[in-house]
Amino acid sequence: DAGVIQSPRHEVTEMGQEVTLRCKPISGHDYLFWYRQTMMRGLELLIYFNNNVPIDDSGMPEDRFSAKMPNASFSTLKIQPSEPRDSAVYFCASSFSWIKRQKSSGNTIYFGEGSWLTVV
Amino acid sequence: GIQVEQSPPDLILQEGANSTLRCNFSDSVNNLQWFHQNPWGQLINLFYIPSGTKQNGRLSATTVATERYSLLYISSSQTTDSGVYFCAVPMIKAAGNKLTFGGGTRVLVKP
């Protein structure tokens, strides 16, 4: 499998612009997660989906952030309008659910390579 | 929510040395994972280990669930082991897949 695929890998944008980050999870995984990593706050869970349905978005910082998962193989994280404090690495990750977990790997979470966002 | 703490925060090793990283958590968990973030930022899953012991090459991990800690052992360290090691546990007891990450242990292996 190709693993979790994210795009773009790097984005530099001006304050106020819309940013869309994309993710393709590992085929067959039914959980998808969006994390954000900063020096100050470490790795934070923003939102996660189960079978394309958002389960918990309590980590989304504010209304400027939104996430969708229109089908099992695609998700987006959108920031509109972007601000300099949104600069961070955004990771998408996927896993099997507890019910579908594989015996040896359990609920192992696999991360994409991240989208490095800089808002100037 | 469940709290997770890692120690030490930083570790400098000479190539070939062994080391132990620790992860303490505040409540019983059904899911614990160790990750390595390499200097290029990639997060690689090392172990899914809610209990017991596993080994993968020079790395091994042990989780003592009843005492709420996990250990990651690095033997015969190599420069490629440099990076940050994270452990992750569920944020709350019933949410097995909703993980929170510790602050990490930054490891530098010198040649």
Side-chain angles (χ1 to χ4, degrees):
Chain A
D1 203 314
V4 177
I5 299 173
Q6 292 187 245
S7 65
R9 288 296 314 281
H10 297 90
E11 175 138 356
V12 180
T13 190
E14 291 186 347
M15 183 172 64
Q17 296 298 306
E18 178 178 291
V19 173
T20 300
L21 308 178
R22 298 171 177 80
C23 175
K24 176 179 167 49
I26 292 173
S27 177
H29 282 183
D30 45 3
Y31 269 82
L32 183 139
F33 308 86
W34 283 100
Y35 279 86
R36 177 172 70 175
Q37 186 177 35
T38 60
M39 289 294 292
M40 291 296 294
R41 300 175 68 90
L43 273 158
E44 305 173 274
L45 178 63
L46 300 178
I47 185 171
Y48 72 100
F49 296 81
N50 179 213
N51 291 324
N52 315 338
V53 176
I55 302 300
D56 188 337
D57 66 354
S58 59
M60 297 285 259
E62 47 197 277
D63 291 346
R64 297 184 297 106
F65 286 69
S66 63
K68 293 182 179 179
M69 191 165 185
N71 58 61
S73 58
F74 184 66
S75 177
T76 59
L77 178 68
K78 190 171 291 189
I79 308 172
Q80 165 64 20
S82 58
E83 296 182 4
R85 60 191 166 123
D86 302 330
S87 298
V89 184
Y90 291 82
F91 287 100
C92 177
S94 70
S95 75
F96 287 113
S97 63
W98 192 252
I99 293 173
K100 285 179 68 176
R101 71 191 188 278
Q102 304 298 290
K103 222 172 189 182
S104 59
S105 64
N107 295 107
T108 298
I109 287 182
Y110 297 90
F111 280 81
E113 294 189 325
S115 292
W116 299 63
L117 174 64
T118 302
V119 183
V120 298
Chain B
I2 297 176
Q3 305 300 310
V4 54
E5 290 186 0
Q6 294 186 240
S7 61
D10 295 280
L11 197 55
I12 299 176
L13 301 170
Q14 205 62 41
E15 199 169 26
N18 303 326
S19 64
T20 302
L21 284 58
R22 187 177 181 102
C23 172
N24 292 330
F25 41 95
S26 60
D27 204 343
S28 57
V29 297
N30 59 6
N31 186 351
L32 186 145
Q33 301 186 31
W34 283 97
F35 295 85
H36 175 224
Q37 187 166 36
N38 65 24
W40 295 270
Q42 289 179 298
L43 272 163
I44 308 298
N45 193 294
L46 298 176
F47 294 103
Y48 166 80
I49 185 163
S51 63
T53 298
K54 287 186 179 178
Q55 181 154 7
N56 184 1
R58 297 179 296 100
L59 300 181
S60 63
T62 294
T63 297
V64 184
T66 53
E67 297 188 22
R68 301 179 186 171
Y69 72 88
S70 183
L71 302 175
L72 178 71
Y73 305 96
I74 306 174
S75 65
S76 305
S77 58
Q78 299 179 358
T79 56
T80 52
D81 295 330
S82 295
V84 184
Y85 290 81
F86 294 100
C87 75
V89 300
M91 288 185 178
I92 55 175
K93 257 180 133 166
N97 280 56
K98 185 181 173 182
L99 298 185
T100 184
F101 282 71
T105 293
R106 187 174 302 273
V107 174
L108 175 63
V109 181
K110 293 186 170 182

